[in-house]
Amino acid sequence: MATTDQYSGGGIVNAGDLPDKPAPIRTDGAIAWMRDNLFDGVSNTLFSLVAFALVLYVLPPALGWLIFNANWSGGAEACRINPDAACWPFVGARWEQFLYGFYEKSERWRLNIILAVLALGIAWLVWEKAPARKFAALFMLSVFPVFAFIMMYGNETLGLPIVDTPQWGGFTLTLVIALSGIVASMPLGILLALGRRSKMPVVSLLSTVFIEFWRGIPLVAVLFMATIMFPLFLPAGVTFDQLLRAVIGVSLFASAYMAEVVRGGLQAIPKGQYEGAMALGLPYPKMMRLIILPQALKIVIPGIVNTFIGLFKDTTLVLIIALFDLLGIVQASIADPNWSIKSVPYTGYVFVAISFWICCYGMARYSRYLEAKLHTGHER
Amino acid sequence: MQVSEERVINIADMNKWYGQFHVLKDINLTVNRGERIVICGPSGSGKSTLIRCINRLEEHQQGSINVDGIELNNDLKNIDAIRREVGMVFQHFNLFPHLTVLENCTLAPIWVKKMPKKEAEEVAMKYLERVRIPEQADKFPGQLSGGQQQRVAIARSLCMNPKIMLFDEPTSALDPEMIKEVLDVMIELAREGMTMICVTHEMGFAKTVANRVIFMDGGQIIEENEPEEFFNNPQSERTQLFLSQILNH
Ligand SMILES: Nc1ncnc2c1ncn2[C@@H]1O[C@H](COP(=O)(O)OP(=O)(O)OP(=O)(O)O)[C@@H](O)[C@H]1O
Ligand SMILES: [Mg+2]
């Protein structure tokens, strides 16, 4: 043994270094894991059993409806014969409409290009090892919106026939509203948060009034006002695109929430960070951009993503002002008499739910990843 | 340790209030280039407030503060100019936790002095070597010990090549075994002729490097003397009481 204690006089001296031992293994196999984690103690065992019972009760019928008994082919006829399970042929027959809305059929390639560039751009931004990611961010925030708008709306001189906004719809419309809202609400929210904390009373008051105004009214009311009341204030003959009004409404609404999230982050930054930056001679804008905001925003990533997810789902409300986003278009298709089958509405709504869930869960995962990546050890 | 005749800080009849509370009373203080001043005094006596007025982290309401020929007033240009000449080290380090040690050091040279990144990194490494932690350059502040963090904070200030350094109790948040490593760096700095104003209760440090010790109480400068005289022969009763308290404890 290398490590016998030796006694010299009255004290104890350790003769050598202790060898490294492997960490004790607490779990050896599934049974032990279950015993340690699911069935240790009466209440935990009870909880586990109740949870198992619930899963057993809910899961098989759900999977049966969604997958195993579902109609996967054969059109409306098959669904009519088996109406007690999902009718996926309905989605199969309508998916183009769900994706593109009433967008001119011959021009849909334009949307495909936009979606492809968008997907590539997001991949470029998210993939950490990609080169020139700063350039990607710049491109996606400045060039891409202009490019996407021209492609989508059309431009006679470029030989792209105009496809006006009432024809936009489906998932592409959901993306248009949600992404504009996200991209606009972030900087606006940051400015409002800084404004609300400003030492200048006028700036602070205006920001506060703005935030509390938008936070205090329901989004549905905002959208109704944008559609019905807003035109009353415009001079006769001046029109203002319906979709643009909705986008502005959603953006302002989301920016008020964003402002409060960001303000929470700003409040968590200790005074010493400001003093450290000021003592180095950094002027206010640089101090904010380089020191305070990076830390404040990092703290509130969960809140920011939460707001984004809320905004993404809130876009479905535009269906009440006669814009056909994904939910709106699915709802419209359900009414088709050729598909008047019991399972079709359920299938449609489940499809919408799954589509939204995938997008929102993706955002949630990315936020978790970002949090982990930006963690820089113990903070004081 | 050379002290020149040139005045770099001139504070005349300066007064400051927090609301109704008169925190600094008729402060008169001049500092020559290369001088090292230690400020001590009981808690709440206004030591921090005084040195924070010198780089305008706090605003004074009466009297004048002149730093290296620049008058401190509401002119933002003057404030920026003074902050570029005056470095400050805080009790709680105030490093930027989201940036690496190297980035902490290069930030101000790059963004305030418009120094090219590569040059800023060379300067930063030079000072990190001076404070004896070049090997920590790529770590984040949260991964360092308190003493290491404070040395990074000193290096970060030095990277701006300041003419004057202010220290506000730089060792009082540190465990005893780390105090020495920070004081050693400060002593070295003093030997190189840096003009320094240190708020500290490290009397050993004061005896080693200070030209003058200033004792504050109740927002006033009570006594000001060379270290030897100050410690062996304090004039005011309040100074005597203070010294007996900190030296006997
Ligand atoms: N922002 C503030 N508002 C109001 N009073 C303040 C403020 N900052 C400090 N004070 C008060 O001013 C007095 C001087 O504070 P200061 O921090 O300068 O003391 P100090 O000598 O540095 O004390 P310490 O040794 O505890 O650091 C204290 O009584 C303190 O309570
Ligand atoms: Mg203090």
Side-chain angles (χ1 to χ4, degrees), chain B residues 43-44 46-49 52 91 168-169 199:
Chain B
S43 178
K47 309 176 298 287
S48 300
T49 311
R52 289 156 59 87
Q91 182 175 3
D168 190 359
E169 307 206 27
V199 175

Side-chain angles (χ1 to χ4, degrees), chain B residues 10-134:
Chain B
N10 198 349
I11 301 175
D13 298 323
M14 191 262 277
N15 281 278
K16 172 169 178 63
W17 288 262
Y18 282 124
Q20 287 301 309
F21 177 52
H22 198 169
V23 55
L24 292 177
K25 299 173 183 165
D26 288 330
I27 303 289
N28 284 289
L29 176 65
T30 57
V31 181
N32 289 354
R33 187 174 302 290
E35 235 187 333
R36 292 157 308 274
I37 309 242
V38 163
I39 303 179
C40 60
S43 178
S45 56
K47 309 176 298 287
S48 300
T49 311
L50 172 59
I51 68 166
R52 289 156 59 87
C53 280
I54 296 173
N55 66 349
R56 225 347 134 93
L57 290 183
E58 303 287 352
E59 195 177 332
H60 63 283
Q61 280 100 22
Q62 256 179 28
S64 73
I65 301 179
N66 191 298
V67 181
D68 208 21
I70 309 165
E71 185 69 29
L72 253 187
N73 47 29
N74 282 326
D75 192 339
L76 287 177
K77 267 210 199 82
N78 287 1
I79 295 174
D80 282 346
I82 283 176
R83 285 182 181 161
R84 239 171 286 170
E85 311 228 323
V86 180
M88 186 160 194
V89 174
F90 300 86
Q91 182 175 3
H92 294 290
F93 329 137
N94 297 355
L95 293 175
F96 307 131
H98 62 303
L99 301 176
T100 63
V101 164
L102 188 65
E103 288 165 340
N104 264 279
C105 293
T106 56
L107 183 99
I110 290 174
W111 292 94
V112 178
K113 283 193 164 175
K114 316 276 180 237
M115 197 185 277
K117 188 171 173 217
K118 203 153 164 276
E119 194 187 330
E121 281 175 356
E122 277 162 19
V123 172
M125 285 314 294
K126 185 180 97 189
Y127 285 113
L128 285 174
E129 262 155 44
R130 280 261 298 271
V131 301
R132 294 186 275 281
I133 34 175

Side-chain angles (χ1 to χ4, degrees), chain A residues 86-259:
Chain A
C87 175
W88 297 119
F90 168 68
V91 175
R94 297 300 185 102
W95 71 269
E96 280 192 67
Q97 212 182 27
F98 293 172
L99 187 55
Y100 305 116
F102 309 116
Y103 203 87
E104 207 69 60
K105 272 216 170 67
S106 57
E107 302 296 324
R108 284 183 182 169
W109 59 271
R110 282 155 49 178
L111 298 184
N112 288 339
I113 290 180
I114 298 173
L115 290 174
V117 175
L118 177 68
L120 281 176
I122 289 178
W124 192 1
L125 282 174
V126 169
W127 185 37
E128 216 180 312
K129 293 197 187 81
R133 288 172 71 219
K134 268 199 187 133
F135 174 76
L138 212 67
F139 172 82
M140 289 308 285
L141 288 176
S142 57
V143 181
F144 177 74
V146 177
F147 161 79
F149 178 77
I150 292 174
M151 281 297 275
M152 205 155 169
Y153 185 75
N155 185 312
E156 297 290 4
T157 48
L158 292 178
L160 296 170
I162 303 285
V163 182
D164 209 354
T165 53
Q167 283 167 280
W168 299 11
F171 189 63
T172 40
L173 182 70
T174 297
L175 281 182
V176 166
I177 301 171
L179 290 180
S180 327
I182 285 174
V183 169
S185 69
M186 188 77 212
L188 215 66
I190 291 174
L191 285 180
L192 284 168
L194 294 177
R196 188 164 186 174
R197 282 171 58 88
S198 165
K199 285 207 188 79
M200 290 175 271
V202 179
V203 175
S204 156
L205 182 73
L206 284 180
S207 309
T208 308
V209 167
F210 184 94
I211 291 169
E212 297 305 346
F213 173 80
W214 289 100
R215 274 209 307 177
I217 41 181
L219 181 57
V220 178
V222 174
L223 292 172
F224 269 131
M225 283 196 292
T227 323
I228 299 158
M229 279 173 61
F230 186 70
L232 300 179
F233 300 114
L234 288 177
V238 176
T239 57
F240 202 77
D241 188 80
Q242 168 92 335
L243 174 60
L244 184 57
R245 274 182 270 160
V247 165
I248 291 175
V250 168
S251 301
L252 295 181
F253 187 80
S255 66
Y257 279 88
M258 191 58 74

